[in-house]
Amino acid sequence: MNTKWMRTLGASLALTVAAGTASAETLRVVTDPSFVPFEMMDPETGEMIGFDMEIIREVADRAGFEVDLNTMDFNGIIPALQTGNVDIAIAGITITEERQQIVDFSDPYYDSGLRVLVRADNDNVEALPDLEGKKIGTKIGSTSYDYLMKSLDENDGVTPYPGSSDMYMALMSRAIDAVFYDAPNVGYFASTKGKGKVKTVGKLYEGQQYGIALKKGSEWVDDLNDALAAMKEDGTYKAIYEKWFGEMPESE
């Protein structure tokens, strides 16, 4: 075999691989490792998994950049973007006017809020007004408790629980008729431990929207938005959502 030809071929392949690698810019992405089920550490592999992790990896693939993923406490994320120590952050970050003054955001990729959870065999509750006069579990000191007290005329049956696991157990044991709490939390329970036993119903209440945050003036905003739009159009977003949260809520 021609040794000179082999050396030439090897050099050509090396250049091709190098060119392919160089074409994808690596961006520093940061997340908070403790916001279940958006981002969490897999104890078996040591890798970050969750809804946000699948979203950012799919977005990166479509937008054409590599992800250098790191973790930090949530309260350090916005300052890290401000100083330019990181390029992108995804951690269930609510889009607010105050934050928009100091960082850029993608289009919203997750609608959060409060949601109703009932047993799987309950076909009588489809929305919050159907809970009038019923036994409802929620969490002590939560916005969901305050919302129930303001929204229901017959709210004597509202029971605040110290932890979310307590109210889910009460629902499945038929001690209460429904749970009203943060949409991501009830959705995750419905798709994991409560799968086949409970279901989410109705729309989101008191909504908030999460966005992918970028350092101010980032050139990647449009690329991220295009990727998110394409994911929603072709069903990829829906598949990821329902893997982690169960059935998507109704649109307004």
Side-chain angles (χ1 to χ4, degrees):
M1 186 174 288
N2 189 317
T3 305
K4 181 177 179 182
W5 180 83
M6 287 295 293
R7 283 201 301 267
T8 303
L9 176 62
S12 298
L13 286 172
L15 286 171
T16 301
V17 171
T21 304
S23 65
E25 185 175 344
T26 298
L27 300 183
R28 299 161 298 175
V29 179
V30 70
T31 190
D32 174 355
S34 60
F35 189 37
V36 177
F38 287 85
E39 39 266 335
M40 52 192 169
M41 187 73 72
D42 185 333
E44 294 184 3
T45 65
E47 294 182 357
M48 291 298 298
I49 60 171
F51 175 75
D52 277 354
M53 298 299 93
E54 293 197 29
I55 291 294
I56 194 62
R57 286 169 181 139
E58 182 69 23
V59 165
D61 185 55
R62 295 180 185 229
F65 63 86
E66 301 290 337
V67 172
D68 175 17
L69 184 67
N70 290 282
T71 62
M72 66 171 59
D73 289 340
F74 187 85
N75 60 8
I77 287 177
I78 298 298
L81 287 168
Q82 284 184 275
T83 58
N85 289 332
V86 298
D87 301 299
I88 293 176
I90 184 167
I93 305 170
T94 301
I95 300 171
T96 66
E97 290 183 6
E98 292 79 11
R99 287 173 177 164
Q100 284 178 312
Q101 293 176 11
I102 52 179
V103 299
D104 287 338
F105 276 101
S106 70
D107 293 334
Y109 72 92
Y110 185 87
D111 292 326
S112 186
L114 309 175
R115 205 165 181 207
V116 177
L117 183 77
V118 296
R119 288 183 294 277
D121 61 359
N122 187 337
D123 295 324
N124 299 318
V125 174
E126 297 180 353
L128 189 63
D130 296 329
L131 297 180
E132 286 282 357
K134 291 186 168 55
K135 296 178 181 178
I136 312 161
T138 189
K139 197 168 181 180
I140 292 173
S142 65
T143 55
S144 51
Y145 175 80
D146 295 337
Y147 194 88
L148 285 172
M149 300 308 287
K150 288 187 302 181
S151 303
L152 297 179
D153 295 327
E154 299 178 47
N155 54 32
D156 292 344
V158 176
T159 302
Y161 288 86
S164 55
S165 60
D166 300 317
M167 58 190 182
Y168 295 145
M169 285 182 62
L171 176 64
M172 291 195 293
S173 67
R174 297 184 178 271
I176 57 176
D177 301 306
V179 164
F180 186 68
Y181 190 50
D182 291 358
N185 197 277
V186 297
Y188 184 60
F189 179 77
S191 65
T192 52
K193 292 182 180 178
K195 190 170 185 178
K197 303 172 186 175
V198 298
K199 62 183 179 182
T200 53
V201 295
K203 66 176 185 178
L204 290 168
Y205 298 90
E206 208 168 67
Q208 297 176 333
Q209 292 183 310
Y210 296 164
I212 301 172
L214 305 91
K215 63 183 180 182
K216 201 69 176 172
S218 174
E219 64 186 31
W220 289 95
V221 175
D222 289 342
D223 294 313
L224 263 63
N225 287 339
D226 289 345
L228 286 169
M231 288 166 62
K232 291 179 178 180
E233 180 69 25
D234 65 20
T236 302
Y237 177 88
K238 185 174 186 289
I240 296 173
Y241 183 102
E242 295 192 342
K243 172 182 175 180
W244 292 99
F245 302 112
E247 186 179 354
M248 288 184 69
E250 301 167 4
S251 300
E252 289 285 357

